[in-house]
Amino acid sequence: MHTTVGIIGGGPAGLLLARLLHNSGIDCVVLESRDRAYVEARQRAGILEQSTVDVLRASGAGERLDREGLVHDGIELRWDRKAHRIDFPALTGGRRVWVYAQTEVCKDLIALQLKDGAPLLFDAQVRSVEGPDTDSPVIHYTHEGQDKTLTCDYVVGCDGFHGVARNAVPAGIQKTYERVYPYSWFGILADVPPSSDELVYAHSPRGFALLSMRSPSVSRLYLQVPNGTDPADWSDERIWDELDARFAIDGDWTLQRGPITSKGVLPMRSFVTEPMSYGRVFLAGDAAHIVPPTGAKGLNLAAADVIVLAKAFAHLKDTGSASLLDAYSDTCLKRVWRAEHFSYFMTTTLHTDPDQSPFDTQLQISQLDRIAGSPHAAAELAENYAGLHIG
């Protein structure tokens, strides 16, 4: 089998790229290692930037998003028992974010792909990419118990940190940058309406906490915990008591409690690999970079990668020039490092390091006070959170 673009990975990045290529009349094949049920059930990010929403709408994948997604015009920061709201539209010229889970994005894109898009193969285990620096790279994979090959003009690896696509970049060329944080997120889902209409980010001497949601009736909340924490060590009552303590403010506000339906611990890390392309192989999403979730950048950064890549493929088709493809890595890495810095800023400003001194804590408080007191500092946060324009 031959195709113009072979896409490894059927998560949001691979599926969105396939949709954008289909709309540009460029053929592709998507190879996803998991089955459809798994892809449509795995819990990941839930915040979509303005640019991501704009592209989903333009690609034909925005109908359910517009019907069921929750529009958010800001977030709330809490520290020292006080609260301050960041108004996104007022600070960004009208940009905002949406709460719409990655699982729902995948469901929408899968339905479109299976209806009128290019081939999407589930349970297709990619083993290797051969000839990345040739005019016809080959993807070796196993599907329905048989070893198969897919020859391509180009290969795009959207197969995550543990995927095989990144191995196509020679070790002597590849550079990696990484930071592992000394804490994790303990996340829960609870069948209770969110206690706030917008996300609440709380800095506390006891550690960070985040109030989020999956729907008007389902809350998603997180606690900073030590690495290696076992969720089984936390009773439901202990979880709610700790959330209560970290979100506490002077004022009339109550954290609503309800049945907890899911618990899990998420390690925190930052990771970038350079370059994001080699020969005719391109990396996108978690295959090239990972951010801690504090800045809500992961899914949006992956979407930005494939938006740039889809434009480059369309430019090649229309003009015969590969100039935008050649510039792909440099173009994306500027945005990647901006998102890495913002995610690092949000993480280190709001979390309590196990070795943190009182001096460090006062620096964090000073930064939060600065955001609350300066429109310029607030705008910097709002512009990064709501998403910079994709060039």
Side-chain angles (χ1 to χ4, degrees):
M1 182 165 55
H2 179 83
T3 189
T4 301
V5 182
I7 301 173
I8 307 174
L15 292 168
L16 178 56
L17 176 60
R19 184 64 186 173
L20 296 175
L21 293 178
H22 170 75
N23 289 347
S24 294
I26 301 170
D27 63 291
C28 65
V29 174
V30 182
L31 303 175
E32 166 55 42
S33 63
R34 302 284 193 163
D35 62 29
R36 180 178 180 179
Y38 180 90
V39 175
E40 293 186 339
R42 55 187 169 194
Q43 294 289 334
R44 293 292 189 274
I47 301 294
L48 304 182
E49 294 176 0
Q50 181 79 58
S51 294
T52 304
V53 170
D54 291 345
V55 168
L56 286 170
R57 286 170 171 165
S59 71
E63 180 181 352
R64 197 161 65 91
L65 164 61
D66 284 331
R67 187 173 66 249
E68 300 178 14
L70 306 177
V71 181
H72 281 203
D73 284 342
I75 60 172
E76 183 178 290
L77 301 177
R78 293 188 179 185
W79 72 101
D80 275 358
R81 301 187 64 87
K82 57 189 177 185
H84 178 77
R85 182 174 182 268
I86 306 295
D87 187 327
F88 291 161
L91 294 165
T92 65
R95 298 171 73 79
R96 45 180 52 89
V97 299
W98 279 252
V99 174
Y100 192 67
Q102 174 178 309
T103 51
E104 306 310 316
V105 173
C106 287
K107 289 175 186 177
D108 296 341
L109 291 170
I110 286 172
L112 287 171
Q113 190 76 1
L114 296 178
K115 177 185 176 184
D116 58 13
L120 167 57
L121 305 182
F122 292 103
D123 291 314
Q125 299 282 342
V126 174
R127 304 190 307 277
S128 64
V129 177
E130 180 184 350
D133 54 350
T134 69
D135 291 342
S136 187
V138 179
I139 300 174
H140 296 274
Y141 68 102
T142 301
H143 186 241
E144 296 178 337
Q146 296 184 352
D147 291 341
K148 300 182 179 182
T149 59
L150 175 66
T151 60
C152 318
D153 294 338
Y154 299 92
V155 174
V156 180
C158 303
D159 51 344
F161 178 78
H162 297 290
V164 303
R166 196 166 70 250
N167 297 332
V169 181
I173 294 176
Q174 191 176 86
K175 294 182 180 179
T176 59
Y177 305 87
E178 186 174 18
R179 178 183 293 273
V180 177
Y181 295 87
Y183 35 71
S184 300
W185 274 15
F186 182 12
I188 67 164
L189 281 172
D191 284 339
V192 60
S195 302
S196 171
D197 292 335
E198 296 177 335
L199 274 66
V200 178
Y201 288 77
H203 174 281
S204 162
R206 305 173 67 96
F208 169 78
L210 171 62
L211 187 157
S212 183
M213 65 281 297
R214 281 291 177 261
S215 74
S217 61
V218 177
S219 293
R220 181 72 160 158
L221 301 110
Y222 298 92
L223 286 166
Q224 175 190 339
V225 293
N227 289 337
T229 292
D230 184 351
D233 293 337
W234 285 70
S235 67
D236 289 6
E237 183 178 12
R238 181 187 177 192
I239 293 170
W240 288 117
D241 286 347
E242 189 63 28
L243 286 166
D244 245 335
R246 297 189 191 186
F247 285 123
I249 55 173
D250 294 328
D252 184 18
W253 184 84
T254 302
L255 177 66
Q256 302 299 321
R257 304 187 178 203
I260 295 176
T261 60
S262 175
K263 302 177 184 179
V265 173
L266 173 68
M268 306 276 283
R269 69 187 311 190
S270 299
F271 172 86
V272 179
T273 186
E274 298 183 5
M276 289 175 58
S277 63
Y278 174 74
R280 293 201 171 194
V281 175
F282 301 85
L283 305 178
D286 286 0
H289 43 71
I290 295 172
V291 291
T294 325
K297 295 293 105 181
L299 171 58
N300 296 291
L301 201 53
D305 289 345
V306 298
I307 291 167
V308 171
L309 200 50
K311 289 179 180 178
F313 280 123
H315 183 71
L316 174 65
K317 175 177 178 287
D318 294 339
T319 69
S321 170
S323 60
L324 295 185
L325 284 174
D326 294 340
Y328 168 74
S329 182
D330 289 341
T331 299
C332 286
L333 282 170
K334 292 179 182 178
R335 172 177 290 272
V336 167
W337 281 113
R338 174 88 299 276
E340 290 284 354
H341 182 270
F342 176 67
S343 299
Y344 169 82
F345 164 77
M346 290 287 285
T347 301
T348 55
T349 299
L350 292 165
H351 289 71
T352 303
D353 191 291
D355 298 324
Q356 186 161 310
S357 70
F359 181 87
D360 298 325
T361 300
Q362 290 307 119
L363 290 179
Q364 291 176 318
I365 297 300
S366 175
Q367 180 61 58
L368 291 166
D369 286 341
R370 164 74 174 165
I371 293 169
S374 166
H376 300 291
E380 176 71 10
L381 190 158
E383 288 173 358
N384 280 275
Y385 196 103
L388 303 174
H389 292 279
I390 299 175

